[in-house]
Amino acid sequence: MNSTGLSRENDAETPSSGGHRTVAASLSVSGLSVHYRDFTAVGGIDLEIPEGEITALVGPSGCGKSSFLHSLNRLTDLIPGCRVAGSIRLSDGTEVTHPKTDVLSLRRRVGIVFQRPNPFPQSIRRNFEIPLKEHGWRKRDIPDRMETVLREVGLWNEISDRLHKSAIALSGGQQQRLCIARALALEPEVILFDEPCSALDPIASGVVEDLIHSLRGRLTVVIVTHNLAQARRIADRAAVFWVRDGIGTIVEHGPAERVFTAPSNPDAASYLSGARG
């Protein structure tokens, strides 16, 4: 049994009290490039992502933000012809790009929520049973874990009486919160968000944004967003992507307040001011 009273078949790690992990992981990226056959989407990426903070990735469409984000938990492995070079290192020394890295374990530690909600087309309950069983949770412990994370994202009171019904029947905002809860259920150290509010109405977007903001300090968050106002509201740090010589790269990064108010790079300044991009 672990400290939450929940047991797993392979209980190598113990969640903290209340199901909240107390140690977030940082990410250190060095010399990273992502290639799709003969095309280089991003190159020359060096970036330190501090633990427990929210880092926003901004920049115009087509500059490699999502390619970079997907490389952080090896989703790029699923794309035929895609190759990642360089180093992505977690704070415990795990090398994300190493061929012997356990990808299933990595994706538990580094979760992701996509632009459009992608609940499994099954019951709400099955949306938690499937990933938790895959990662070693025992069936009898899953209901408590599901309730914990659904309460955390503010969904429990809305849907607790219809857990047997299809997740697809939920509203768009509810589906996105469900997907966040599903990611949180695995107790990640890092969570990646790929434009999580772009498919939502303003009210649902605000709810999700507040939820992401609440993760600060507990998890390391990396978010791709085209909403510059949103990035300014929630981010501790920001990185501005731009295309140079046909390759996406980071042209400005640092504390969000400085990046947004006094960028030193002219391309970043033009983009952030609305003059370009």
Side-chain angles (χ1 to χ4, degrees):
M1 301 288 287
N2 58 38
S3 60
T4 63
L6 306 180
S7 59
R8 281 178 285 179
E9 293 173 357
N10 297 307
D11 198 15
E13 296 184 349
T14 302
S16 59
S17 177
H20 288 185
R21 184 180 295 276
T22 56
V23 178
S26 61
L27 285 163
S28 180
V29 181
S30 177
L32 189 79
S33 59
V34 180
H35 311 270
Y36 299 100
R37 301 192 190 280
D38 296 329
F39 171 67
T40 301
V42 293
I45 302 293
D46 298 307
L47 185 65
E48 295 294 327
I49 299 173
E51 67 179 49
E53 294 189 4
I54 299 175
T55 298
L57 311 180
V58 300
S61 298
C63 60
K65 301 183 300 297
S66 291
S67 291
F68 170 75
L69 191 78
H70 296 171
S71 72
L72 299 180
N73 76 343
R74 299 272 297 267
L75 277 184
T76 44
D77 288 9
L78 304 177
I79 303 173
C82 184
R83 178 174 58 87
V84 176
S87 173
I88 305 170
R89 192 176 295 272
L90 292 170
S91 53
D92 67 351
T94 297
E95 179 54 68
V96 171
T97 60
H98 195 283
K100 291 187 178 180
T101 294
D102 183 337
V103 176
L104 183 64
S105 174
L106 171 68
R107 290 180 184 152
R108 183 195 63 75
R109 296 181 64 189
V110 184
I112 189 166
V113 175
F114 295 98
Q115 178 177 8
R116 293 191 175 277
N118 62 337
F120 304 143
Q122 300 187 48
S123 70
I124 295 168
R125 182 178 289 109
R126 287 290 289 162
N127 268 265
F128 293 90
E129 290 175 345
I130 292 171
L132 286 170
K133 284 182 178 178
E134 183 179 16
H135 287 272
W137 285 74
R138 294 178 179 176
K139 185 176 181 179
R140 65 174 180 266
D141 299 322
I142 291 175
D144 285 346
R145 185 65 188 141
M146 175 178 63
E147 180 177 347
T148 296
V149 292
L150 286 175
R151 287 188 182 280
E152 191 173 340
V153 302
L155 267 181
W156 180 254
N157 291 338
E158 298 176 27
I159 65 174
S160 61
D161 60 345
R162 45 187 169 135
L163 299 176
H164 61 287
K165 294 187 176 181
S166 174
I168 303 299
L170 299 175
S171 70
Q174 288 176 324
Q175 287 185 30
Q176 192 66 303
R177 281 188 286 155
L178 175 70
C179 292
I180 295 172
R182 191 175 63 190
L184 292 176
L186 296 175
E187 299 174 316
E189 300 160 41
V190 180
I191 190 162
L192 314 174
F193 291 93
D194 194 354
E195 298 186 60
C197 300
S198 64
L200 305 180
D201 63 66
I203 294 176
S205 178
V207 172
V208 171
E209 182 181 312
D210 290 343
L211 175 55
I212 294 170
H213 188 268
S214 74
L215 299 176
R216 172 188 280 118
R218 185 179 129 211
L219 301 176
T220 299
V221 174
V222 186
I223 178 171
V224 168
T225 178
H226 284 286
N227 186 331
L228 296 179
Q230 179 183 76
R232 294 187 70 161
R233 284 192 296 268
I234 69 173
D236 300 294
R237 301 183 69 81
V240 182
F241 280 68
W242 199 259
V243 175
R244 282 182 172 169
D245 300 323
I247 298 173
T249 193
I250 293 174
V251 295
E252 183 96 27
H253 65 87
E257 183 176 0
R258 183 197 63 75
V259 169
F260 284 107
T261 60
S264 58
N265 178 270
D267 291 324
S270 294
Y271 175 72
L272 296 173
S273 70
R276 297 178 65 187

